[in-house]
Amino acid sequence: MLTATAAALRDDDVESLHRAELVTRVKAVAEFEGALAAYKLRLASAIDALKDDGLNSRGVLRSHGGVAGKTAARLADTAAGLAEMPRTRAALDAGRITIEHATILARAGEEIDPARADEELVGVAESGPADIVAKRVREWVGQRTKPTLNTDEN
């Protein structure tokens, strides 16, 4: 399945396409990357759910997926966070957000509450590039973690 898809992508003659066709391909690739990232996270979750003595998802992603240790840890943490964030998982799977967006939302869920982050932040994540969304999410987290002032000092 994935091997055939990779071959089709390699064989696609993009140099002969017009602008509108290229833009359509870019959008399709974003959707595909979202689905692929969601699939990778599902694989990581399934690996971590195994009750055997094999490598955890971090180890598998690093040794068999060829990613750096920090990247493997981030992916495993995102997979664990999204286990409680179905709207975020669905947005990633549909290509409406990227893996970067999903990681940002999973971290916000860790800091505040997964259900609340899932409910309140998917629309924010869908609204723009990950760097801008990260800033908005940091502000969202900051507004919910500010210490409250005690006015009953007497």
Side-chain angles (χ1 to χ4, degrees), residues 63-108:
S63 61
H64 299 283
V67 299
K70 284 184 180 182
T71 302
R74 179 178 43 79
L75 289 169
D77 290 346
T78 299
L82 294 190
E84 299 180 60
M85 301 176 76
R87 291 183 73 219
T88 304
R89 272 195 329 266
L92 177 62
D93 195 39
R96 295 190 314 269
I97 64 172
T98 67
I99 187 69
E100 290 177 275
H101 292 100
T103 298
I104 293 163
L105 270 57
R107 287 179 181 158

Side-chain angles (χ1 to χ4, degrees), residues 70-154:
K70 284 184 180 182
T71 302
R74 179 178 43 79
L75 289 169
D77 290 346
T78 299
L82 294 190
E84 299 180 60
M85 301 176 76
R87 291 183 73 219
T88 304
R89 272 195 329 266
L92 177 62
D93 195 39
R96 295 190 314 269
I97 64 172
T98 67
I99 187 69
E100 290 177 275
H101 292 100
T103 298
I104 293 163
L105 270 57
R107 287 179 181 158
E110 240 180 66
E111 291 186 49
I112 303 299
D113 174 65
R116 189 170 178 190
D118 196 42
E119 178 67 29
E120 297 179 22
L121 293 175
V122 172
V124 173
E126 292 174 344
S127 71
D131 55 343
I132 293 171
V133 169
K135 181 179 185 288
R136 291 180 183 154
V137 170
R138 279 192 305 272
E139 290 168 355
W140 182 87
V141 168
Q143 291 168 352
R144 283 145 187 84
T145 57
K146 286 184 182 175
T148 57
L149 296 175
N150 185 356
T151 56
D152 295 330
E153 292 183 11
N154 295 7

Side-chain angles (χ1 to χ4, degrees), residues 21-106:
E21 294 168 314
L22 291 166
V23 170
T24 298
R25 292 284 206 296
V26 168
K27 290 177 183 177
V29 166
E31 184 177 336
F32 181 73
E33 286 176 331
L36 192 58
Y39 185 66
K40 185 183 283 189
L41 295 180
R42 287 181 23 231
L43 290 170
S45 292
I47 290 166
D48 285 339
L50 293 172
K51 304 293 185 212
D52 61 14
D53 293 329
L55 289 173
N56 63 15
S57 64
R58 285 175 174 84
V60 171
L61 290 167
R62 182 170 164 81
S63 61
H64 299 283
V67 299
K70 284 184 180 182
T71 302
R74 179 178 43 79
L75 289 169
D77 290 346
T78 299
L82 294 190
E84 299 180 60
M85 301 176 76
R87 291 183 73 219
T88 304
R89 272 195 329 266
L92 177 62
D93 195 39
R96 295 190 314 269
I97 64 172
T98 67
I99 187 69
E100 290 177 275
H101 292 100
T103 298
I104 293 163
L105 270 57

